[in-house]
């Protein structure tokens, strides 16, 4: 029972950070959770070590860490979401003639939970259970584009967070921000050759009741199909993601 107060304080800190638009200084955390300075330092230090909080030393601020996003998105990997999505994804494949998949956020990665393969198409690297870097995949970019800027910043605090597969894709936070801005303006995410050479993907996010992304719907196809085919597939993907968003919200 002696550990309950510490657990309660930890959860209150996480809840407070989750409501902030940007990382915050220590004093704001202390006031919000009613913590003495020494207790706040020790508590945040333990949370940083476990990955739930990230410290931005140049700004003397604290924000949510990767582990917090993994826990927060955990429910999206449960069966209800997959059951809701399976038929719409199958219908999407029938419409566009290319393979489709559903991915959910998992820290700086996306985890693929459904793959609907088009008849006659080869297997893809995005098989069920596979994890790939979110900033390189269309699904991940769709999800990241719907996150608050502060959360993206916490996920990618430095260049070490940007891994690559073929030397392509953003390698800095500023490059990622530009890419995500383009994604929001376009209305859907894209990648070409950054996950698998000669293949491209388009994706759109599935949003929860708070307007936050819980998954990405994507379709993968040969990268030589042309702009018209890409736009046709993207429109179908956007319609499917909107349908799943409505279903998730019970509409």
């Amino acid at each position: 029972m002696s550990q309950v107060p510490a657990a309660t304080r930890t959860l209150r800190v996480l809840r407070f950070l989750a409501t902030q638009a940007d990382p915050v200084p220590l004093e704001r955390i202390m006031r919000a959770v009613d913590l003495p300075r020494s207790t706040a330092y020790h508590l945040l230090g333990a949370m940083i070590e476990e990955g739930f909080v990230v410290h931005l030393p140049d700004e003397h601020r604290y924000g949510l860490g990767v582990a917090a996003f993994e826990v927060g998105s955990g429910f999206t990997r449960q069966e209800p979401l997959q059951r809701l999505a399976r038929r719409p994804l199958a219908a999407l494949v029938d419409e566009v003639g290319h393979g489709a998949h559903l991915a959910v956020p998992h820290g700086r990665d996306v985890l693929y939970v459904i793959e609907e393969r088009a008849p006659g198409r080869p297997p893809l690297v995005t098989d069920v259970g596979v994890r790939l870097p979110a900033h390189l995949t269309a699904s991940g970019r769709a999800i990241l584009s719907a996150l608050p800027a502060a959360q993206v910043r916490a996920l990618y605090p430095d260049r070490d967070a940007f891994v690559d597969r073929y030397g392509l894709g953003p390698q800095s936070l500023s490059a990622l921000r530009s890419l995500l801005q383009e994604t929001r303006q376009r209305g859907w995410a894209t990648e070409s050759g950054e996950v698998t050479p000669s293949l491209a993907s388009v994706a759109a996010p599935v949003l929860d009741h708070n307007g936050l992304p819980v998954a990405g719907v994507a379709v993968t196809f040969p990268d030589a199909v042309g702009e018209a085919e890409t736009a046709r597939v993207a429109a179908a993907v956007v319609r499917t993601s909107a349908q799943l968003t409505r279903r998730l919200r019970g509409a």
Side-chain angles (χ1 to χ4, degrees):
M1 294 297 293
S2 63
Q3 297 302 311
V4 172
T8 300
R9 289 169 173 171
T10 300
L11 293 172
R12 287 176 178 171
V13 169
L14 287 174
R15 183 176 292 113
F16 171 71
L17 291 177
T19 64
Q20 303 307 298
D22 292 290
V24 297
L26 177 67
E27 287 73 18
R28 283 191 60 188
I29 299 173
M30 291 166 51
R31 290 196 301 270
V33 190
D34 192 23
L35 290 176
R37 180 175 293 271
S38 60
T39 302
Y41 268 125
H42 289 304
L43 186 60
L44 288 168
M47 296 170 73
I48 291 169
E49 186 174 344
E50 295 296 327
F52 284 91
V53 170
V54 62
H55 182 216
L56 305 174
D58 293 343
E59 302 178 28
H60 305 289
R61 292 171 179 261
Y62 298 84
L64 290 179
V66 172
F69 293 104
E70 292 178 349
V71 171
S73 63
F75 84 97
T76 64
R77 297 187 290 276
Q78 301 298 316
E79 183 66 18
L81 177 64
Q82 297 178 48
R83 293 183 67 175
L84 284 174
R86 195 166 297 280
R87 285 189 178 182
L89 256 66
L92 175 61
V93 171
D94 290 342
E95 178 181 355
V96 301
H98 304 291
H101 46 257
L102 184 79
V104 298
H106 197 274
R108 282 191 288 267
D109 295 337
V110 287
L111 174 67
Y112 293 88
V113 295
I114 297 179
E115 182 189 14
E116 290 288 340
R117 193 179 306 170
R121 298 289 183 179
L124 302 172
V125 68
T126 52
D127 199 1
V128 172
V130 169
R131 287 173 55 172
L132 290 173
H135 67 286
L136 297 181
T137 67
S139 298
R141 291 171 179 177
I143 292 168
L144 292 172
S145 72
L147 283 175
Q151 293 188 14
V152 175
R153 182 184 185 185
L155 283 169
Y156 298 91
D158 51 45
R159 286 184 176 270
D160 291 339
F162 292 89
V163 300
D164 71 82
R165 288 170 62 87
Y166 299 103
L168 303 172
Q171 292 295 310
S172 67
L173 181 59
S174 61
L176 178 61
R177 282 173 168 165
S178 296
L179 187 152
L180 297 181
Q181 177 63 24
E182 294 173 3
T183 297
R184 286 187 289 270
Q185 292 176 344
R186 189 191 304 116
W188 41 273
T190 184
E191 68 85 15
S192 182
E194 292 160 82
V195 175
T196 302
S198 77
L199 293 179
S201 297
V202 294
V206 179
L207 307 178
D208 67 10
H209 296 76
N210 297 313
L212 295 175
V214 297
V217 174
V219 166
T220 298
F221 46 85
D223 62 4
V225 298
E227 292 184 6
E229 175 67 359
T230 299
R232 181 185 76 89
V233 173
V237 167
V238 170
R239 287 195 298 271
T240 301
S241 68
Q243 178 186 6
L244 284 176
T245 293
R246 291 192 298 272
R247 287 191 173 192
L248 195 62
R249 294 174 176 178

